[in-house]
DNA sequence: TATACTTACTTGCACTTGCAACTATTGCAC
DNA sequence: GTGCAATAGTTGCAAGTGCAAGTAAGTATA
């Protein structure tokens, strides 16, 4: 196997992942626009729906964005009445985030829309293909993550 | 096969692609930072390296961003002496883009760095796995693209 | 206890991007 | 040819994000 063919295969895959991400993200934005949420705002609401009372820093770390981004994103969500900051009883520096009932309702609606869209789009592959793809992607993610830790 | 398992498989894959994209993009930014280029600026230079004299609108369409983004990105590249706008002889509305020698040199350097990094990171999978992954991603991209055209 | 270091969050600033409005030019229909 | 729609590109504006610096509070060390 010639080195060149390997090289272009790697570049080709990188390009494919990039293109697919752009297409998926574009679809996500369209679907979520119905709820007036950006993908990142939706991600925060989802995290809170899964586990209430989380701290801003934790969510930021999970979503790979800096703290100030979360601060201002939560400012927006709070101004829209979707979440509420409450002081952490154990640490007076920290803020715990709670979903309001409006926030919960919107998150439920957004999740339904989003999940349906994702299922439809990922369903463009056969179930068997999906399973193989998931396995390979899982391995790639794990290795990339380790690679990042090693080289950071 | 229960519907629920399929649903979560789709969501899982969507998440995997998102996470992998974020990791790859982060790596790209780090590598390209050496050349003071953003991934998008690099993409424009690459397009020009491949085929000189392209028009702004064409490049924007290829990179899926609006015209004004390209206008200002090219403003920056031109200010840095990397590209040059020249009037289109056939259409007085249009501008043709040319790489300067500095632009060519920087693009060559950035490509070398970028390609090496991509090969290393995608090389975290076995060659066989890479081939299967490329096949599945290719199919997914094609189907997503058609899906977008149908539903837009 | 005092001092220094870390952590949680916020704020100021700069940068990039999308959207909408605008100008100039082209091309099509009549 | 005249008028009208489409196209190429630019500009003003608003929004979102990262970085760096700042504040307040917790933690560790002497």
């Amino acid at each position: 196997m010639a080195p060149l063919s390997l090289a272009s295969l790697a570049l080709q895959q990188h390009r494919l992942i990039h293109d697919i991400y752009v297409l998926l993200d574009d679809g996500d934005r369209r679907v979520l626009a119905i709820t007036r949420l950006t993908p990142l705002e939706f991600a925060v609401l989802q995290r809170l729906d899964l586990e209430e009372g989380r701290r801003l820093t934790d969510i930021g770390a999970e979503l790979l964005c800096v703290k100030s981004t979360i601060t201002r994103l939560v400012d927006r969500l709070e101004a829209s009445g979707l979440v509420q900051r409450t002081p952490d009883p154990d640490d007076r520096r920290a803020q715990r985030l709670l979903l309001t009932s409006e926030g919960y309702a919107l998150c439920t609606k957004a999740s339904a829309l989003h999940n349906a869209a994702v299922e439809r789009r990922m369903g463009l592959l056969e179930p068997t293909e999906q399973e193989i793809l998931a396995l390979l992607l899982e391995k790639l993610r794990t290795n990339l993550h380790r690679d990042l830790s090693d080289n950071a």
Side-chain angles (χ1 to χ4, degrees), chain A:
Chain A
M1 199 166 315
L4 256 183
S5 80
L6 262 187
S8 49
L9 184 54
L11 288 172
Q12 180 194 346
Q13 283 181 88
H14 185 271
R15 176 94 176 241
L16 280 167
I17 292 171
H18 177 270
D19 290 356
I20 288 170
Y21 171 80
V22 170
L23 288 169
L24 289 177
D25 186 61
D26 184 66
D28 288 350
R29 282 178 195 280
R30 283 170 200 268
V31 168
L32 289 174
I34 300 171
T35 61
R36 297 261 178 202
L37 292 172
T38 66
L40 194 55
E41 288 165 353
F42 175 53
V44 170
L45 293 184
Q46 269 189 319
R47 298 298 188 290
L48 292 178
D49 187 25
L50 210 66
E51 180 191 348
E52 266 207 335
R54 304 199 56 186
R55 301 186 315 167
L56 277 71
T57 304
D58 295 343
I59 293 179
E62 207 167 297
L63 299 177
L64 290 181
C65 56
V66 299
K67 295 174 299 180
S68 60
T69 299
I70 299 295
T71 293
R72 280 178 283 226
L73 187 151
V74 169
D75 287 347
R76 297 198 297 274
L77 293 179
E78 200 170 25
S80 306
L82 299 173
V83 306
Q84 201 180 352
R85 284 177 168 94
T86 53
D88 184 327
D90 301 330
D91 186 339
R92 278 189 296 169
R93 294 169 304 178
Q95 305 272 0
R96 298 277 172 183
L97 285 181
L98 301 177
L99 274 182
T100 64
S101 51
E102 288 93 342
Y104 176 74
L106 190 64
C107 183
T108 302
K109 181 184 173 190
S111 291
L113 289 168
H114 182 256
N115 292 357
V118 168
E119 279 172 47
R120 190 177 55 73
R121 285 179 295 171
M122 299 310 293
L124 295 168
L125 291 182
E126 306 296 329
T128 318
E129 292 173 326
Q130 287 188 53
E131 283 175 26
I132 297 171
L133 181 59
L135 272 168
L136 292 174
L137 290 176
E138 181 70 47
K139 178 172 179 183
L140 181 58
R141 177 174 66 174
T142 304
N143 290 358
L144 280 174
H145 214 278
R146 184 167 46 235
D147 181 68
L148 180 68
S149 312
D150 293 350
N151 294 34

